[in-house]
Every structure is written in structure tokens, then in C-alpha cells.
Amino acid sequence: MTFVKTVTATAFGALMATSAIADGHAQSWDMPMAYAATNFHSEHGVIFADLVREYTGGAIDITVHPGGSLFGGGDIKRAIQTGQVPIGERFMSAHANEAPLLGWDNLPFIATSYEDNARLWEAARETVNAQLADLNLVALYTCPWPGQGFYFNQEVNSSADTQGIKFRSYNSATATFAEELGMIPVQIEAAELSQALATGVASAFISSGSTGYDRQVWEHLSHYYKVNAWLPRNYVMVNTQVWDGLDAGVQAGIQQAADETSASCAAKSEELADFYFQELEGNGMTVQDAGPEFLAELEAIGAQMTADWLETAGADGQAILDAYNAN
Ligand code: PCA
């Protein structure tokens, strides 16, 4: 692992120094991604790389490294910010602990359909991009996961059933959610989820059907409660200096590839949402809507989480919600 990182950093340094595009040479970009190679996000990373090669006339040659194989999910953003790799992909709201605004897509029960999620992104996009610029990043495209619900190894009708359960969280907001339900959160990457469930480090989590399917969680868990609490997004980001160093034609080619990939990825996510539930059921899990008592509790916790987010995200956060609600 260390070896791979060193090679990547060295290759990238050389690439920066020679400004390959100005010289007319192709640039090779390693692109770390956090999720399984067969996941639609990762598959779209490969589609994106192909389109970039095509639209830049081969000037940018991206190699996708899925499944946290080059950098683990938690390390990808820093690797890009510090120039160890030029580009990569990560779950956006995982960065809300550092920049609260990036939790815009993790607000419970605000935008629960693909259509509303797209409207919320339109309302948030400019502010989010400004926030990312402060972090030395340029977002090229985002793509939503299907709606989020709860996985358990037992029937759950209310928080009376969730006390003391070890819960895999994927960001600080989901850790809060777990605590409010009397559970004990532990943050674990999707790539490590199967192992965490197998060893009892966690026995519940919130996610889409997609991650349960990717990690075959029916081997460990019995119930999925559809809640559709939010549709969080992954984003593909590039280091600002790398981006600024490209000529306008190359930038335009990459952005066209990003726009097309974004649309295709969102459509695929929506197309697959029910398929995942069928697969969970087909492999023996009980997949059902959350019951009224549980749902009412989730909604109350959700309202508090949105209020907390507005406090930390400030006027910019309120402006996003106001713009969303005005449409
Ligand atoms: N899967 C990812 C993030 C959201 C989702 O649906 C995960 O569980 O890590």
C-alpha cells in the first residue's frame, strides 16, 4: 500500500512539474474511489474515464481504483487536496464534520425522491462549489445513492427495540441518529462493512439497498426498513491547481464527460433502487416500510438534525433550504 502511494505521488509530482498538457503529452491520472468495483458509482467512474479520454482526445488518461484499493474512503479527499492524486471520488456528507455545508444532502425527510434530490442539489450547487474551492477542490460531478433505510438483525418497531445496538455510521449525522435511538455508533467504511458485521463490531446500519446488496449483508442481518430518509451523493473532485493548469479545451472536454456521467449515474441509481430490494428479499431478508411508531420517532429526530445542521451551516445553509422550498 505504501509502495503504491509512493509511486503515485512521485508520478504525480513529475506530471505537475512538466505540465504535460502544455507540452502536448497525455497526463495519466489515478482516480481512487471508495466503493465496490461492481457498484454503479464505480462503474460510472469507468464510464467517465472513457468519456474523458474521448472528449480530450486522449490528453487525460484516467485509471479508476475502486473499493478503497488505492486510498481508503476516509483518505481520498486529503490525497486529492494535497496533490497525492489529481482526482478521486468520495461520499460528500462524510466531509460535513470539516465543512458543515457538505451535509446538505444528509437532511432527513427534506428531499426523498430523485426529483426532489436533484432540485435540492440545484439549490445547493453554487454554495457547495464555493465551499469546495476553499478546500482546494473542484467538483466535477455528483451522483445520488438510493434512499436511506435501516438494516437490523431483528424486528424493530420503535427505539425500545434499538437500545444498545452497535450501529455502523458513515458520517457524524448518522452517528447522531444512532445515539438518538439509543444505539452505539461506530464509523466504518462500506469496504469494511461485511467484516464488521461478521465480527460483531456492528449489527445495524443505515444505507441504501445498494450497499446491502454489494456487501451481501443477508449473510448477517435479517431486516431492512425502508425509510427513504435522504438520498446522499458521492462526488468526483479534482485538485484545484491541477484543474487550473489545464487548458480551456481540455477542461471543457472533462466537464462534458462529467455532465453526461452525472446524468447517466443518477438514472442508473433510480433504475436499480427496487432491484436491490428484490435481491435483499430474494436472499431471505424481510424488506418492509418502517412502522408508524418507529417512523414518527425518526421524523422527530430528523427535524432536530435539520435544526442542528442549520445552526452549524449558518446563513448559507438556510439559503439552500429557502431556494429549495421556493421552487
Ligand atoms: N451507501 C453508502 C453511502 C450511502 C449508501 O447508500 C454507504 O453505506 O457507505
Side-chain angles (χ1 to χ4, degrees):
M1 192 60 190
T2 313
F3 175 71
V4 173
K5 279 184 194 169
T6 308
V7 169
T8 304
T10 309
F12 182 53
L15 167 166
M16 291 287 280
T18 56
S19 182
I21 284 299
D23 295 339
H25 297 123
Q27 293 190 26
S28 293
W29 287 5
D30 285 314
M31 176 161 134
M33 301 183 81
Y35 295 92
T38 52
N39 181 271
F40 69 92
H41 285 286
S42 305
E43 288 175 349
H44 275 81
V46 174
I47 290 170
F48 171 65
D50 288 344
L51 289 175
V52 166
R53 256 187 303 278
E54 185 181 337
Y55 296 157
T56 66
I60 305 293
D61 183 16
I62 296 175
T63 303
V64 171
H65 302 270
S69 57
L70 187 57
F71 288 95
D75 297 323
I76 290 175
K77 177 172 74 60
R78 179 146 303 281
I80 303 163
Q81 283 176 298
T82 56
Q84 292 178 76
V85 284
I87 192 169
E89 178 231 40
R90 178 60 171 156
F91 187 53
M92 191 179 278
S93 59
H95 300 148
N97 54 341
E98 180 182 343
L101 257 185
L102 301 182
W104 67 274
D105 63 350
N106 204 145
L107 304 175
F109 305 111
I110 299 280
T112 59
S113 67
Y114 280 89
E115 203 185 330
D116 285 350
N117 178 265
R119 282 198 308 112
L120 183 59
W121 170 233
E122 283 315 314
R125 184 197 285 254
E126 213 172 293
T127 320
V128 166
N129 285 343
Q131 171 69 81
L132 292 172
D134 287 346
L135 299 175
N136 206 35
L137 298 169
V138 175
L140 294 178
Y141 74 87
T142 68
C143 176
W145 290 93
Q148 305 293 289
F150 285 91
Y151 288 88
F152 289 108
N153 200 19
Q154 63 186 66
E155 188 180 322
V156 167
N157 295 309
S158 75
S159 62
D161 301 322
T162 58
Q163 300 302 309
I165 291 178
K166 291 183 196 147
F167 182 89
R168 174 262 176 170
S169 58
Y170 54 51
N171 58 19
S172 46
T174 49
T176 303
F177 220 129
E179 280 164 355
E180 293 294 325
L181 289 167
M183 297 192 280
I184 303 156
V186 46
Q187 190 156 333
I188 293 166
E189 287 299 313
E192 266 91 56
L193 180 57
S194 308
Q195 201 189 346
L197 297 174
T199 55
V201 170
S203 60
F205 65 104
I206 188 168
S207 195
S208 60
S210 179
T211 294
Y213 170 76
D214 287 342
R215 309 268 58 120
Q216 305 192 340
V217 301
W218 49 80
E219 290 175 5
H220 311 288
L221 304 180
S222 56
H223 285 70
Y224 184 76
Y225 290 95
K226 296 187 203 175
V227 176
N228 225 20
W230 58 82
L231 286 74
R233 290 189 175 226
N234 284 3
Y235 68 124
V236 168
M237 69 205 100
V238 65
N239 174 290
T240 301
Q241 282 79 42
V242 172
W243 182 252
D244 290 347
L246 300 174
D247 69 35
V250 173
Q251 284 183 350
I254 295 174
Q255 195 55 61
Q256 186 186 343
D259 292 348
E260 289 178 22
T261 306
S262 180
S264 166
C265 187
K268 194 67 179 176
S269 176
E270 186 165 7
E271 182 191 318
L272 286 171
D274 280 336
F275 162 81
Y276 293 132
F277 291 147
Q278 284 159 18
E279 288 293 313
L280 296 180
E281 260 180 337
N283 284 285
M285 292 188 75
T286 303
V287 177
Q288 60 196 31
D289 291 331
E293 201 184 337
F294 190 39
L295 193 57
E297 287 182 301
L298 299 179
E299 283 170 352
I301 296 168
Q304 186 56 48
M305 283 170 64
T306 300
D308 291 347
W309 179 74
L310 282 171
E311 253 177 47
T312 53
D316 284 342
Q318 187 63 57
I320 291 173
L321 285 189
D322 288 348
Y324 171 68
N325 288 324
N327 280 318

